[in-house]
Amino acid sequence: MTSKLGTFLGVYTPTVLTILGVIMYLRFGWLVGHLGLLQVLIIVLLAHVITVSTTLSFSSVATNGRVGAGGAYYIVSRSLGLEIGGSIGLPLFLSQTFSVTLYAYGLAESLRIVWPDVPLAAVAAVVVVGVAGLSLAGAAAALKAQVGLMGVVGLSLAALITGVIRNGDPAGVGLSAASGDVGFWQGFAVFFPAVTGAMAGLGLSGDLKDPGRSIPRGALLAVGTGLLVYLLVPIGLALTASPDDLRTDPLIWTKVAFGGAWLVLPGLWSAILSSAVGSILGAPRSLQALARDGLAPRLFAGRGGHPVRDLLPGLILSTGIALGAVLLGDLNAVAAVVSMFFLTVYGTTNFVAAFESLSGDPSWRPALRVPWAVSLVGGVACLLVMFLIAPAAALVALVLELGLWALLSRRERAAGWGDARRGLFENLIRWALVRLSERPVSPRNWRPHTLVFAQDIERELDLVRYADWFSQGRGVVSVCELLVGDLDADHPEALERLARMRRVLEEEELVAFPEVDVVDGVVPGIVAVAQANGMAGLSSNTVMLGWPTSQELQVEFLRVQRRLARLGKSLVVGRFKPHSAFRRKGRRRVVDVWWGGLQHNGDLMLLLAYLLTRNAEWRDARVRIVSVASTDTMRQQTALFLERMLSVIRIDADYEILLKEKDVPVRTMIQSKSAEADVVFLGLAPTPPGGETDAAARLDQLAGDLPCVFFVHNASLLSGELLDSGENADVDEAARSPLPGGGA
């Protein structure tokens, strides 16, 4: 059914009636009597800085596109995501529901003026049921009833103005008179809830004929009306009553206004009742929007047939909660938390508008443009005011909402719309990339940005896991599966493989970016993807491959090594038994780095070993540098070099220099010494063209039965530069003893 509500009935009426409420009738005189007129006017203006900025913010969002049912929840969830929208929307629904009870109690307590022994709980329950019954007639009928209530409020204001004109004494206005019993911020805390009704009309967004037009016009007009009234009322009270009377008589209006209590009390009751009607109209609609997004049971979502029938389950629940709250009796503490929830909604809405402006998304084209600084100031001001009004309640509200956000963030939810966060992050990334491109990479700030090639991510999960450990949150890990085929042909399996990769990475809690690329062949595909990967100074500098069982593919990988080296990309080839990453969990792990020095591969191997031990899984691991010397002299020189180097680079590692025994192959020494090691790093020397087959066989022999071996070829800026410039002056380069045959 098409919504029929316009600007006046759908937005202006509920908003202005929520703003002009009980504070205006019962607390304005008290404020003027204690603080003086000047301070009260300053409070009114400061409070409206927040109210006006919030109104401008949600009006700007409303003019940028369709605003669906749910009001503030809809705006927040579509801009900041479901988890943040839900953490705001659920408290918003409860706040609207509890507000019905609060207003009902307020109406019951105000009846004491004419009925001293009024049964508060019973009257409050009757009011709750009454406003719920009124809403059953539909939003249009309920809001038409509010028009009559607004007329009564307007009549009471006219009575006050008439009384001021007849009895006012300009000479008696004390602009700076203050009792000293109430501080400025204490008075601000008392007044501020009076201006928190700016979003009342926003809650009916799903019932509006044209939300993008009605919301900004109706809300801004209502806020402007409220500001005008709140500036005139304290002036009128100051002109007609003494400070003592203002401080001691909460119903000073009845003595100032023309007609007295006969015109003032109906206005007070109408203001309270209209606020209750606005809350009971908004609560089930917020719940319905949550249910349609899967954040509440589908029972409350409705089927889109009849607006009243669709909202009936939510209305019944809202009424039940409100009646249950009546049994609490004392709602002061609840009232404070309710106010905090409303303020967090206002603050978040301001942040939404600021983020949308800062995101730079081309889709952000609001008819009403608001500078992002205005919205940002409004959002920060809401948080500050929360703690100024009630620090404990503010803390409770924020903790509850953060808990909801954490809970919803853990639940996988797919939304069919974009949000402002991506645009904001893209702007931040662009800013960072521009700055990054202006600062060249140096050995000092080099870090591994790893591109992992996996034929099947589930079968080669250990390779990806090690890449994640090596990055240790310092570098970017990308995982690529290559799909051999024609790029012009359809490849539906590419999307399926990409979805599976994402699922596996999420299940394994690995921070990596998956991609599937269609290539002409595996080997040229590796080079092409590696060459194209990254942008603006942030590109992969390390390629990781799993050592294949096919000798033909082994030879091709060694040929790839030369091409990657020309691109300045290091190569790390992993050869390990399945699940060796979890080997020997009950004992201290050992990481062996076989140091040669001829090819400078040891620099990268040692750095990778260090990064591996920074991970919680490997934090207790022992790093051991092992080298082979052909003579005692070379052994002493290498030991001296390693001792000095480790003290300079500040990496906690042991070292051991083995003396080469005659007729004992190096591979035998490696397999014997590192038999109990969990990870072994070996250097990967450049393979001359035509020698790939022999080199592949030699690598297989070097690895032997070791559980986990990484062959490393260093082609990065780190090559020969592990020591900072100037720090290696006392390190004898001649002590770099190469392994026989050229290893690390």
Side-chain angles (χ1 to χ4, degrees):
M1 182 178 294
T2 305
S3 300
K4 297 295 183 181
L5 297 180
T7 301
F8 179 77
L9 198 61
V11 181
Y12 178 80
T13 299
T15 302
V16 78
L17 282 174
T18 306
I19 291 173
L20 303 180
V22 67
I23 299 294
M24 180 180 71
Y25 286 97
L26 300 182
R27 287 293 179 267
F28 244 145
W30 182 85
L31 285 168
V32 175
H34 278 290
L35 296 176
L37 180 59
L38 180 60
Q39 290 196 71
V40 170
L41 294 178
I42 293 174
I43 286 174
V44 170
L45 292 174
L46 282 178
H48 276 83
V49 167
I50 296 175
T51 303
V52 171
S53 67
T54 303
T55 306
L56 288 171
S57 293
F58 71 69
S59 297
S60 181
V61 177
T63 61
N64 188 60
R66 189 184 72 87
V67 178
Y73 161 73
Y74 186 94
I75 286 176
V76 173
S77 62
R78 269 52 179 178
S79 292
L80 297 182
L82 281 178
E83 66 277 16
I84 297 179
S87 66
I88 292 295
L90 290 172
L92 175 62
F93 161 70
L94 292 175
S95 298
Q96 290 168 327
T97 304
F98 280 121
S99 293
V100 178
T101 308
L102 294 175
Y103 294 131
Y105 258 103
L107 182 59
E109 290 182 0
S110 68
L111 288 175
R112 283 177 170 171
I113 300 168
V114 294
W115 184 7
D117 298 325
V118 59
L120 295 180
V123 172
V126 170
V127 173
V128 169
V129 174
V131 295
L134 182 61
S135 68
L136 278 174
L143 291 172
K144 286 177 182 177
Q146 276 195 319
V147 173
L149 297 176
M150 185 168 63
V152 178
V153 172
L155 185 60
S156 69
L157 287 171
L160 176 67
I161 295 172
T162 302
V164 171
I165 293 173
R166 293 177 60 182
N167 304 313
D169 181 10
V173 176
L175 290 177
S176 59
S179 66
D181 297 330
V182 177
F184 178 85
W185 291 112
Q186 184 182 354
F188 185 91
V190 170
F191 171 76
F192 190 79
V195 297
T196 57
M199 283 189 177
L202 187 61
L204 301 172
S205 55
D207 296 87
L208 298 175
K209 185 189 306 181
D210 186 357
R213 180 177 181 271
S214 295
I215 288 174
R217 293 190 178 190
L220 288 171
L221 184 59
V223 169
T225 302
L227 175 59
L228 179 62
V229 171
Y230 283 152
L231 289 174
L232 292 177
V233 168
I235 295 175
L237 293 175
L239 285 170
T240 52
S242 68
D244 287 338
D245 289 339
L246 291 171
R247 284 193 291 266
T248 58
D249 188 355
L251 288 173
I252 190 66
W253 269 51
T254 60
K255 297 179 180 178
V256 173
F258 174 77
W262 292 101
L263 294 180
V264 172
L265 292 183
L268 170 62
W269 296 331
S270 296
I272 297 174
L273 186 60
S274 64
S275 297
V277 171
S279 295
I280 202 65
L281 287 175
R285 285 163 172 79
S286 296
L287 183 61
Q288 184 183 61
L290 288 163
R292 287 176 175 174
D293 286 341
L295 299 177
R298 295 294 300 174
L299 169 67
F300 304 107
R303 298 180 179 179
H306 191 280
V308 176
R309 211 165 28 241
D310 287 347
L311 290 168
L312 186 59
L315 178 62
I316 293 173
L317 179 63
S318 302
T319 305
I321 293 174
L323 286 173
V326 169
L327 300 177
L328 297 176
D330 182 7
L331 293 178
N332 288 340
V334 178
V337 176
V338 166
S339 296
M340 295 306 106
F341 281 143
F342 275 123
L343 276 172
T344 56
V345 173
Y346 296 167
T348 307
T349 304
N350 276 296
F351 288 133
V352 164
F355 290 165
E356 290 281 16
S357 296
L358 289 169
S359 70
D361 281 339
S363 62
W364 179 245
R365 302 184 300 274
L368 176 63
R369 287 194 174 271
V370 179
W372 64 266
V374 172
S375 300
L376 191 61
V377 168
V380 173
C382 285
L383 294 178
L384 292 177
V385 166
M386 287 172 62
F387 285 94
L388 285 173
I389 292 175
L395 190 60
V396 169
L398 289 176
V399 168
L400 288 175
E401 287 172 348
L402 286 173
L404 274 173
W405 170 80
L407 179 65
L408 294 174
S409 295
R410 292 180 174 273
R411 299 171 63 183
E412 182 179 356
R413 297 198 172 276
W417 58 85
D419 58 58
R421 292 175 297 178
R422 180 178 178 91
L424 183 62
F425 293 152
E426 286 185 356
N427 260 10
L428 289 173
I429 290 171
R430 180 186 179 280
W431 179 87
L433 288 175
V434 171
R435 301 301 178 275
L436 193 63
S437 66
E438 297 170 351
R439 287 168 171 77
V441 182
S442 68
R444 182 180 183 277
N445 54 35
W446 186 92
R447 58 184 64 198
H449 297 303
T450 309
L451 176 59
V452 184
F453 287 96
Q455 185 176 1
D456 187 311
I457 190 172
E458 290 180 303
R459 291 205 304 265
E460 298 182 78
L461 196 56
D462 284 343
L463 187 69
V464 181
R465 185 173 286 111
Y466 272 106
D468 182 57
W469 282 335
F470 290 152
S471 75
Q472 188 47 38
R474 295 171 171 85
V476 177
V477 179
S478 303
V479 184
C480 178
E481 287 190 7
L482 297 178
L483 185 60
V484 178
D486 185 0
L487 190 58
D488 290 331
D490 289 333
H491 294 283
E493 67 271 30
L495 293 177
E496 296 174 3
R497 289 174 66 171
L498 184 61
R500 180 171 55 87
M501 292 176 72
R502 286 176 176 154
R503 185 181 67 253
V504 170
L505 291 172
E506 184 175 352
E507 290 173 353
E508 297 295 329
E509 297 183 350
L510 297 174
V511 182
F513 299 97
E515 63 179 79
V516 176
D517 294 305
V518 180
V519 296
D520 294 333
V522 173
V523 174
I526 291 175
V527 177
V529 173
Q531 187 172 8
N533 182 263
M535 64 179 296
L538 188 64
S539 57
S540 59
N541 51 36
T542 305
V543 173
M544 282 188 70
L545 300 170
W547 187 244
T549 56
S550 163
Q551 187 180 39
E552 181 182 356
L553 206 52
Q554 292 173 3
V555 170
E556 292 295 338
F557 278 10
L558 292 178
R559 289 175 181 156
V560 165
Q561 175 192 354
R562 292 194 298 270
R563 303 180 196 173
L564 293 176
R566 292 193 186 98
L567 297 174
K569 298 182 187 294
S570 301
L571 178 64
V572 178
V573 181
R575 179 191 183 276
F576 36 77
K577 297 178 181 177
H579 307 296
S580 62
F582 301 101
R583 189 170 174 261
R584 300 188 184 95
K585 285 190 102 172
R587 49 167 287 184
R588 188 182 184 189
R589 299 186 178 192
V590 177
V591 179
D592 277 354
V593 177
W594 284 81
W595 185 279
L598 185 63
Q599 305 294 336
H600 296 313
N601 293 325
D603 295 346
L604 182 55
M605 291 193 298
L606 187 54
L607 182 62
L608 292 176
Y610 167 76
L611 291 173
L612 182 63
T613 60
R614 296 301 92 194
N615 189 281
E617 189 84 21
W618 291 80
R619 193 152 289 159
D620 63 340
R622 173 194 176 197
V623 178
R624 183 174 60 180
I625 302 175
V626 188
S627 188
V628 177
S630 57
T631 65
D632 281 329
T633 301
M634 293 292 291
R635 184 179 185 180
Q636 293 173 8
Q637 288 179 338
T638 303
L640 177 63
F641 165 78
L642 291 176
E643 182 176 353
R644 291 179 177 175
M645 181 191 70
L646 290 173
S647 66
V648 172
I649 64 176
R650 302 170 300 283
I651 291 180
D652 185 16
D654 302 326
Y655 63 87
E656 187 173 348
I657 315 301
L658 304 179
L659 191 62
K660 175 73 170 66
E661 298 180 21
K662 189 177 181 181
D663 299 329
V664 177
V666 172
R667 64 175 181 272
T668 302
M669 299 177 68
I670 291 174
Q671 293 170 27
S672 174
K673 184 65 181 176
S674 296
E676 297 300 314
D678 295 274
V679 176
V680 178
F681 287 96
L682 296 173
L684 182 60
T687 304
E692 293 86 3
T693 302
D694 292 340
R698 187 165 60 251
L699 291 176
D700 262 333
Q701 292 173 355
L702 282 174
D705 293 327
L706 297 176
C708 179
V709 177
F710 284 104
F711 298 108
V712 178
H713 178 245
N714 187 5
S716 69
L717 290 173
L718 201 66
S719 180
E721 297 289 344
L722 184 63
L723 299 173
D724 288 343
S725 178
E727 289 185 330
N728 58 351
D730 60 343
V731 181
D732 185 6
E733 290 290 337
R736 296 178 182 253
S737 173
L739 291 174

